[in-house]
């Protein structure tokens, strides 16, 4: 790449493109550890390069070319990380999907991905037999027994570990603005959307961390740090730590999921210095009885998102410093707080390189203290998403007037601090997952006794939201809430299954026949609402061996 081909504000390929980063660090620091896994296995940069190149060769032998889309359907662990990096090493597009998906939402993302090849965990692969597989023709099965699946050409793990062969050269250099990934985020009035992210977008999101000042004036996080990756790799909260530390030449400790009981043990044994805690994770730790590892460990900094409780006691008890920010899959950490913030509920102020405004429905800025929608734009191209894949209307709505519309309600104070207020879009957030009300309603309406349905968020007794469906029976039919939930469990991700079911004769509507979800949210959990937890119906995440 010549100087004439790149904007001076833009990071060059060698510092943001996955292939370039792997090769550069493998050459400069071959013996440095990049990743520590749950079983104690470690990858050095040189060892990781060897694994990634071998996996990339296997993908290439299966027909993957630069620019192709490849679906990764794997739990956190060495396989998921290696497959991701190998896809990008070929200049192909990484398309991770939620390991809880099944049924209609799985069919949608498979169709939207335009992928010919999927790499899937053995425990998930059978779900593909029950859906329209769209353009998929080949599947590599990892982590268990390989079995035939419908009309797919099925391969085992050996397909990604060829004994011989050489990687074919790239058709062209991978550029910062090339698409690195398509990550699916919850739909609001329609199906889930695939966020198009460039290498520069991913890099910029991570670079925010490396530019944060610590108490001593040094960067808050450096190449000497180790970031705990406890969120799934199909989630931006999972991909972000991996990419941050790859770009910085640092390291990660990767576990399959956050676990309150083992958190401090993991931190100590894998020498974690930086962690992000979403939602109630920090409060779970604060309410836990003291354990020996919570003091004698290297953890130095915790990112709290959202900043919805006073962390003074948390900082003192665990001897850590805290920080907060606001981010979405589509953007690149536009708001960030100072170290050890004190303004509760604030997400901070705009970082260098972005502009943020709080506006009304006409994109006119609202007065200080009033609530509006947060919109964002960056001064460097490609540092935020470049649209929703195969969804021009959603892209146009989000990017109107040259600003990205977050769909989230914020207010700003006179000092320029931004405060998250509520979701303006019709989405539900539960246990760190964004849930499409549309997708919940689609599955509920598949029940033969349901005439109409509205899915809404209601306040949780812990944090964030719980899912409630308000259902009107079809003529001459009755709906049993327990039977409805049992009908839904095999049809949707575990986190989407409603906790509350309320049966009504008809849904409240406006004169134009639009369901009044605002009214349903205001009424909340009524006395006649059925509660899955109280009824003893358990729904949990399916455990997969990475």
């Amino acid at each position: 790449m010549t100087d004439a081909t790149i904007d001076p504000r833009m990071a060059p390929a060698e510092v943001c493109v996955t292939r370039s980063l792997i090769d550069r660090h493998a050459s400069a620091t071959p013996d440095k550890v990049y990743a520590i896994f749950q079983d104690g296995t470690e990858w050095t940069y040189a060892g990781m390069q060897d694994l990634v190149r071998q996996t990339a060769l296997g993908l290439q032998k299966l027909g993957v070319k630069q620019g192709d889309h490849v679906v990764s359907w794997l739990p956190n662990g060495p396989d998921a990380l290696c497959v991701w990096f190998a896809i990008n090493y070929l200049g192909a597009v990484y398309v991770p999907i939620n390991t809880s998906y099944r049924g209609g939402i799985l069919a949608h993302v498979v169709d939207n991905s335009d992928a010919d090849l999927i790499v899937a965990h053995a425990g998930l692969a059978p779900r593909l037999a029950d859906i329209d597989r769209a353009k998929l023709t080949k599947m590599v099965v990892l982590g268990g027994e390989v079995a035939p699946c419908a009309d797919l050409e099925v391969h085992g793990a050996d397909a990604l570990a060829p004994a011989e062969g050489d990687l074919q050269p790239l058709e062209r250099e991978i550029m910062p603005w090339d698409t690195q990934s398509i990550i699916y985020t919850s739909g609001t009035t329609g199906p889930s959307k695939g966020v198009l992210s460039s290498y520069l977008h991913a890099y910029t999101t991570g670079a925010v961390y490396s530019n944060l000042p610590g108490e001593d004036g040094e960067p808050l996080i450096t190449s000497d740090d180790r970031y705990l990756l406890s969120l799934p790799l199909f989630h931006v909260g999972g991909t972000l730590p991996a990419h941050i530390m790859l770009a910085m030449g640092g390291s990660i400790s990767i576990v399959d999921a956050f676990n309150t009981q083992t958190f401090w043990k993991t931190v100590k044994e894998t020498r974690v210095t930086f962690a992000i805690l979403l939602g109630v994770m920090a409060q779970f730790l604060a309410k836990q009885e003291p354990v020996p590892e919570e003091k004698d460990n290297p953890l130095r900094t915790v990112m709290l998102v959202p900043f919805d409780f006073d962390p003074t006691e948390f900082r003192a008890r665990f001897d850590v410093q805290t920080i907060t920010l606001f981010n979405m899959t589509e953007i690149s950490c536009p708001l960030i707080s100072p170290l050890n913030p004190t303004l509760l509920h604030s997400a901070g102020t705009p970082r260098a390189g972005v502009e943020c405004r709080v506006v009304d429905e006409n994109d006119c800025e609202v007065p200080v203290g009033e609530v509006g929608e947060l919109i964002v734009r960056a001064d460097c191209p490609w540092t935020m998403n470049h649209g929703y894949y195969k969804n021009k209307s959603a892209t146009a709505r989000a990017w109107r007037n040259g600003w990205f519309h977050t769909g989230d309600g914020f207010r700003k104070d006179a000092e320029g601090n931004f405060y998250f207020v509520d979701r303006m879009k019709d989405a539900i957030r539960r246990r760190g997952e964004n849930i499409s009300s549309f997708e919940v309603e689609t599955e509920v309406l598949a029940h033969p006794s349901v005439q109409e349905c509205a899915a809404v968020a209601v306040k949780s007794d812990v944090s964030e939201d719980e899912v409630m469906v308000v259902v009107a029976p079809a003529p001459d039919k009755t709906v049993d809430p327990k039977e409805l939930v049992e009908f839904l469990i095999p049809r949707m991700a575990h986190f989407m299954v409603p906790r509350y079911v309320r049966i009504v004769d008809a849904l409240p509507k406006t004169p134009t026949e639009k369901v009044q979800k605002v009214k349903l949210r205001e009424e909340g959990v009524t006395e006649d609402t059925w509660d899955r937890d109280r009824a003893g119906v358990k729904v949990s995440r399916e455990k997969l061996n990475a």
Side-chain angles (χ1 to χ4, degrees), residues 175-315:
M175 305 302 281
W177 45 82
D178 285 337
T179 302
Q180 179 194 38
S181 65
I182 300 175
I183 295 181
Y184 286 91
T185 187
S186 168
T188 54
T189 57
S192 293
K193 302 184 290 291
V195 179
L196 291 161
S197 291
S198 68
Y199 290 94
L200 190 60
H201 176 200
Y203 169 80
T204 303
T205 307
V208 172
Y209 287 69
S210 60
N211 291 328
L212 294 174
E215 287 183 318
D216 54 3
E218 296 297 316
L220 186 66
I221 185 169
T222 72
S223 60
D224 294 327
D225 280 293
R226 179 160 295 156
Y227 200 139
L228 179 62
L229 194 164
S230 60
L231 296 170
L233 282 167
F234 53 74
H235 188 293
V236 69
T239 55
L240 183 57
H243 199 275
I244 289 172
M245 302 318 290
L246 178 64
M248 296 178 67
S251 60
I252 58 173
S253 168
I254 180 169
V255 295
D256 63 348
F258 172 80
N259 184 305
T260 307
Q261 282 68 44
T262 61
F263 177 83
W264 292 111
K265 184 173 184 287
T266 298
V267 164
K268 184 172 182 177
E269 290 182 352
T270 62
R271 303 177 298 284
V272 167
T273 63
F274 192 100
I276 184 168
L277 298 176
L278 297 183
V280 296
M281 292 177 180
Q283 295 183 60
F284 283 162
L285 292 172
K287 292 174 183 177
Q288 185 184 32
E289 289 297 317
V291 295
E293 296 92 346
E294 72 181 46
K295 280 287 187 182
D296 183 22
N297 68 74
L299 186 64
R300 189 178 71 255
T301 306
V302 174
M303 179 78 71
L304 299 175
V305 182
F307 183 41
D308 57 359
F309 77 103
D310 183 350
T312 304
E313 291 183 11
F314 182 90
R315 288 195 291 255

Side-chain angles (χ1 to χ4, degrees), residues 212 303 307 322-325 335-341 346-349:
L212 294 174
M303 179 78 71
F307 183 41
T322 61
I323 198 163
T324 192
L325 54 68
L335 297 171
I336 195 148
S337 77
L339 197 62
N340 297 324
S346 173
T349 57

